[in-house]
Amino acid sequence: MSSATETLCGQAFGAGQHHMMGIYLQRSWIVNFITATIMFPLFIFATPFMRLLGEQENVAIAAGKISIWCIPFLYYFVFSFTIQMYLQAQLKNMIVGWLSTMSFVLHVLLSWIFVYKLNWGIAGALGAMNIASWASVIGQFVYIFGGWCPNTWKGFTLAAFSDMWPVIKLSVSSGLMLCLELWYNSILVLLAGYMKDATVAISAFSICLNISAWEFMICLGFLGAACVRVSNELGRGNAKAAKFAIKVILGTSILLGLVFWILCLVFGRVAIGAGLQGTVAIVNILCYYMIGIPLGVVLAYVAHLQVKGLWIGMLCGVVAQTISLVFITWKTDWEGQVNKASERLNRWFLKPSDELN
């Protein structure tokens, strides 16, 4: 849902409506905090939920213990992702990079102490994750509230509670778009839990997904840069520059994808900035849940390919999604997107004197 912040802040920065970025950030905090609180019971009752899904008892119990430790991490996302989008939209990428680096170093150090020195096991690993993650959020708060964003942060304001419905709609479509993508992998992991040797199957599939996620982080970095550039240019009213940014990121992504594909053979994913999250959500449903998952189930359980079948099905869904998004990007009327961005910014614009402090 935080990608809504990226769209709104990026377009506001491009249009020169800098003070609106702090208001959009606060509105996103409100929407995301309420959403996280609605999700809270799922973390408390994870074990019975897993039993309801028919997972093996040892898997359900382990999931319940881990989910409790993930509650602080859930609320960490509320602030971390939105602030990162807010800072990146105004080209303050270095501070995000430095804070992330310090958080990573702290995470490794605490993990070594808690897991290997104190023998706290899973609890130690998850505790280290929570401490390191919230340390980066505290650093972001210090940076914003300490006066390093004077043009975009004017303090807390009651204006953040006004005109919430458009932000809610964009946040929901953004969340739906990305959740459908992330849930795709999660559902496949759950399906692995029904296999004969569930623990081994889940472990093998999770390791493969984590390795894929490491590679995906590189592409995600380019995605963030592209989204900021597209939203900035749409805010400025420059459709040609937005199209050029998309061409650059597509070319870079294809090249990186080929490189990592070759590496994988040897050794054994731009719609957010434009506000097209709803369209991409539909594409994700069709490609992932109508193609990828059914095909993976058939290959895993009917063709008896097990984890390999799930993985092949997942890849087929990803390929279908990639082809669909390339076609949509090619056919998009970017002049029309500029007009829509301008209408959105003008409709939600508040003059500094209009803010309810």
Side-chain angles (χ1 to χ4, degrees), residues 219-232:
C219 298
L220 190 63
F222 285 97
L223 171 65
C227 292
V228 169
R229 180 52 55 202
V230 170
S231 59
N232 285 170

Side-chain angles (χ1 to χ4, degrees), residues 143-156:
Y143 185 81
I144 296 174
F145 303 155
W148 283 277
C149 299
N151 297 324
T152 58
W153 181 261
K154 303 296 183 180
F156 291 100

Side-chain angles (χ1 to χ4, degrees), residues 212-253:
S212 177
W214 293 350
E215 173 266 330
F216 178 67
M217 288 300 104
I218 299 176
C219 298
L220 190 63
F222 285 97
L223 171 65
C227 292
V228 169
R229 180 52 55 202
V230 170
S231 59
N232 285 170
E233 298 302 342
L234 288 179
R236 293 189 183 100
N238 194 338
K240 290 184 178 180
K243 289 181 67 175
F244 178 75
I246 292 172
K247 291 178 181 178
V248 171
I249 195 60
L250 281 176
T252 305
S253 298

Side-chain angles (χ1 to χ4, degrees), residues 45-326:
F45 302 105
T47 294
F49 182 69
M50 288 292 178
R51 288 171 178 159
L52 185 64
L53 292 176
E55 294 290 340
Q56 295 183 8
E57 184 66 14
N58 61 332
V59 174
I61 293 175
K65 293 178 179 178
I66 292 174
S67 66
I68 297 298
W69 283 95
C70 289
I71 292 175
F73 202 56
L74 170 66
Y75 285 97
Y76 150 79
F77 282 134
V78 171
F79 300 101
S80 177
F81 279 176
T82 49
I83 295 176
Q84 285 183 29
M85 305 302 181
Y86 162 80
L87 293 173
Q88 289 174 358
Q90 52 190 304
L91 309 181
K92 294 182 180 293
N93 300 312
M94 288 302 298
I95 183 61
V96 176
W98 279 112
L99 289 174
S100 298
T101 300
M102 289 186 287
S103 174
F104 174 76
V105 173
L106 180 61
H107 191 177
V108 173
L109 177 62
L110 291 179
S111 296
W112 176 69
I113 295 174
F114 292 170
V115 176
Y116 293 101
K117 292 299 181 180
L118 300 178
N119 295 317
W120 289 353
I122 296 295
L126 294 173
M129 176 187 72
N130 285 324
I131 295 173
S133 299
W134 273 98
S136 68
V137 170
I138 293 173
Q140 292 169 353
F141 283 149
V142 171
Y143 185 81
I144 296 174
F145 303 155
W148 283 277
C149 299
N151 297 324
T152 58
W153 181 261
K154 303 296 183 180
F156 291 100
T157 172
L158 291 176
F161 292 91
S162 65
D163 203 16
M164 291 287 293
W165 182 240
V167 179
I168 293 174
K169 290 195 297 183
L170 185 57
S171 296
V172 169
S173 63
S174 300
L176 184 62
M177 175 189 73
L178 292 175
C179 283
L180 286 171
E181 188 153 349
L182 295 173
W183 290 348
Y184 178 53
N185 295 336
S186 301
I187 289 174
L188 293 173
V189 173
L190 285 173
L191 289 174
Y194 298 108
M195 293 180 177
K196 185 176 181 179
D197 194 345
T199 304
V200 174
I202 292 174
S203 299
F205 202 74
S206 298
I207 291 171
C208 290
L209 287 176
N210 273 283
I211 293 174
S212 177
W214 293 350
E215 173 266 330
F216 178 67
M217 288 300 104
I218 299 176
C219 298
L220 190 63
F222 285 97
L223 171 65
C227 292
V228 169
R229 180 52 55 202
V230 170
S231 59
N232 285 170
E233 298 302 342
L234 288 179
R236 293 189 183 100
N238 194 338
K240 290 184 178 180
K243 289 181 67 175
F244 178 75
I246 292 172
K247 291 178 181 178
V248 171
I249 195 60
L250 281 176
T252 305
S253 298
I254 292 172
L255 180 60
L256 282 173
L258 288 173
V259 170
F260 281 100
W261 176 60
I262 293 173
L263 287 176
C264 287
L265 289 179
V266 173
F267 296 103
R269 197 174 237 296
V270 187
I272 295 174
L276 297 174
Q277 289 93 327
T279 302
V280 180
I282 296 174
V283 171
N284 288 345
I285 291 176
L286 296 175
C287 295
Y288 289 161
Y289 299 88
M290 299 300 175
I291 298 176
I293 291 178
L295 181 59
V297 171
V298 170
L299 292 175
Y301 294 98
V302 178
H304 304 292
L305 294 179
Q306 300 294 307
V307 173
K308 185 185 294 185
L310 291 177
W311 191 262
I312 293 174
M314 183 194 74
L315 291 179
C316 290
V318 171
V319 170
Q321 183 222 33
T322 302
I323 295 173
S324 300
L325 292 181
V326 169

